[in-house]
Amino acid sequence: GENVEQHPSTLSVQEGDSAVIKCTYSDSASNYFPWYKQELGKGPQLIIDIRSNVGEKKDQRIAVTLNKTAKHFSLHITETQPEDSAVYFCAASSITGNQFYFGTGTSLTVIP
Amino acid sequence: EAGVAQSPRYKIIEKRQSVAFWCNPISGHATLYWYQQILGQGPKLLIQFQNNGVVDDSQLPKDRFSAERLKGVDSTLKIQPAKLEDSAVYLCASSFLGVWETQYFGPGTRLLVL
């Protein structure tokens, strides 16, 4: 099956700085890569996703990049705010496999 | 639009007891998922339904876990008998079609097995 690795496990940044979280995957058939944000006591919520036919996608302060050759993808958050503090998960799936794999999570703390 | 509903929110049981969780997905969503999230880890997919049928249950410990989705809407996940290592948050999610789309998660049921 797929193996999704995520780094770092914890990340602290000053408010206004950028945060970058990286993930690697093993299955070359994976073609859908979402990022979820999970706040304490809540279920994960999709913040951005990218498909394998696209190299980069941006939504306001959030961007995701994908390198299919190297099998890695990254989440970039610019101008971080305290409300960005949460646990972020990357994930990977393939339409043919019907499976869905989450990374191990990154706990992001934005220091005011 | 109403989100994914789950109940109960919290459950404490002793090992070897049984427990059941309920999930009501977003109206019109064909696919329903059950995940297990152990503290400090990412969610692990246990079972995926599309309408009434099971799409994938390869990671479901079938000797003690069972799940059903009657009439293609609500679903229940049961553990019998529970073990200490089953302590986790059980998340339910739904999507319009499949894993290649946005999944909408419920708040989860936090299970503690003593």
Side-chain angles (χ1 to χ4, degrees), chain B residues 59-108:
Chain B
Q59 299 195 86
L60 186 74
K62 299 180 187 63
D63 58 333
R64 298 183 301 105
F65 286 64
S66 64
E68 61 181 8
R69 189 183 184 196
L70 299 176
K71 300 180 182 178
V73 182
D74 293 5
S75 176
T76 56
L77 176 69
K78 296 179 182 178
I79 308 175
Q80 182 180 7
K83 292 185 175 181
L84 297 178
E85 57 261 37
D86 297 333
S87 294
V89 175
Y90 291 84
L91 295 162
C92 179
S94 69
S95 66
F96 187 63
L97 286 177
V99 293
W100 57 93
E101 299 177 316
T102 303
Q103 294 183 37
Y104 296 87
F105 284 80

Side-chain angles (χ1 to χ4, degrees), chain B:
Chain B
E1 177 181 81
V4 176
Q6 288 188 248
S7 69
R9 292 296 312 275
Y10 305 93
K11 190 75 178 178
I12 301 174
I13 61 173
E14 297 196 347
K15 60 183 179 183
R16 290 188 289 274
Q17 286 187 324
S18 63
V19 64
F21 313 125
W22 173 83
C23 173
N24 180 244
I26 292 173
S27 177
H29 280 192
T31 306
L32 183 147
Y33 315 80
W34 282 103
Y35 289 86
Q36 180 192 58
Q37 185 174 24
I38 293 172
L39 188 63
Q41 298 183 17
K44 182 180 83 171
L45 181 62
L46 295 176
I47 188 168
Q48 179 189 165
F49 293 95
Q50 187 154 44
N51 298 313
N52 290 349
V54 175
V55 175
D56 185 274
D57 63 358
S58 57
Q59 299 195 86
L60 186 74
K62 299 180 187 63
D63 58 333
R64 298 183 301 105
F65 286 64
S66 64
E68 61 181 8
R69 189 183 184 196
L70 299 176
K71 300 180 182 178
V73 182
D74 293 5
S75 176
T76 56
L77 176 69
K78 296 179 182 178
I79 308 175
Q80 182 180 7
K83 292 185 175 181
L84 297 178
E85 57 261 37
D86 297 333
S87 294
V89 175
Y90 291 84
L91 295 162
C92 179
S94 69
S95 66
F96 187 63
L97 286 177
V99 293
W100 57 93
E101 299 177 316
T102 303
Q103 294 183 37
Y104 296 87
F105 284 80
T109 296
R110 187 174 297 275
L111 173 68
L112 180 60
V113 182
L114 301 176

